[in-house]
């Protein structure tokens, strides 16, 4: 699916709604993410922090987990909603998790801060030369069922 055939408004609204539920008492940085599966279904999630800090779960990975729990393994797109002077891209760990379930996908980045322009990039730009499941002998990629 290319970026122009995706209903970004729908995906961004789902990410915004999830962001409103973010549990971010330590950083105060609320993140919402919505992933679009190849089926057309949308899975949204927010970041969930923890008093031990290191156990924090990013919104993007939480959204991917929701997609997998629903039985869907092909990622078509992702929208991420944050707040601040520029739209915030997924962290390195989340990029690697996204790369497990797609060769490449459009990544739409939105800041709720007034006047900040949204931008669309791609997973291959954010994570060139990703380590992929296919690099492990005997696996089916990406996100394939064994
Ligand atoms: N965070 C995300 O949810 N996604 C990212 O890709 C970057 C960071 C969260 C983790 C933490 O709760 C807060 O943002 C500050 O790092």
């Amino acid at each position: 699916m290319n970026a122009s055939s995706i209903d970004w408004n729908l995906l961004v609204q789902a990410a915004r709604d999830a962001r409103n539920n973010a549990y971010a008492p330590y950083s105060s940085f609320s993140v919402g993410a919505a992933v679009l599966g190849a089926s057309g279904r949308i899975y949204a999630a927010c970041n969930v922090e923890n008093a031990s800090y290191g156990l924090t779960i990013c919104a993007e990975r939480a959204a991917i987990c929701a997609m997998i729990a629903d039985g869907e393994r092909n990622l078509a797109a992702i929208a991420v909603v944050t707040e601040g002077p520029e739209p915030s891209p997924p962290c390195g760990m989340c990029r690697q998790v996204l790369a497990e379930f797609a060769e490449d996908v459009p990544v739409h980045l939105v800041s709720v801060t007034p006047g900040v322009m949204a931008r669309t990039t791609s997973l291959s730009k954010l994570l060139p030369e990703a380590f992929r499941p296919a690099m492990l002998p005997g696996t089916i990629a990406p996100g394939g069922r064994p």
Side-chain angles (χ1 to χ4, degrees):
M1 220 177 282
N2 67 26
S4 56
S5 61
I6 291 162
D7 187 344
W8 289 116
N9 287 335
L10 219 58
L11 218 54
V12 168
Q13 193 52 55
R16 275 178 177 271
D17 291 345
R19 181 177 176 276
N20 287 334
N21 295 326
Y23 178 71
Y26 307 107
S27 72
S28 297
F29 189 70
S30 295
V31 185
V35 300
L36 176 67
S39 68
R41 286 193 293 269
I42 290 174
Y43 305 92
C46 58
N47 52 335
V48 181
E49 298 188 343
N50 188 272
S52 73
Y53 288 25
L55 292 183
T56 291
I57 301 166
C58 292
E60 296 90 326
R61 276 178 292 139
I64 288 287
C65 289
M67 182 186 85
I68 297 303
D70 195 47
E72 178 138 20
R73 295 209 171 162
N74 294 308
L75 174 65
I78 179 166
V80 181
V81 175
T82 52
E83 183 175 26
E86 54 184 302
S88 171
C91 76
M93 203 186 271
C94 289
R95 294 176 197 197
Q96 182 65 37
V97 170
L98 294 170
E100 183 78 14
F101 300 105
E103 287 288 326
D104 194 14
V105 284
V107 179
H108 190 58
L109 306 172
V110 173
S111 169
V112 297
T113 300
V116 178
M117 285 273 283
R119 72 181 176 99
T120 306
T121 180
S122 68
L123 184 58
S124 61
K125 281 189 189 133
L126 294 172
L127 188 66
E129 300 196 37
F131 180 75
R132 295 197 176 277
M135 289 164 183
L136 298 172
T139 56
I140 307 160
R145 291 176 194 276

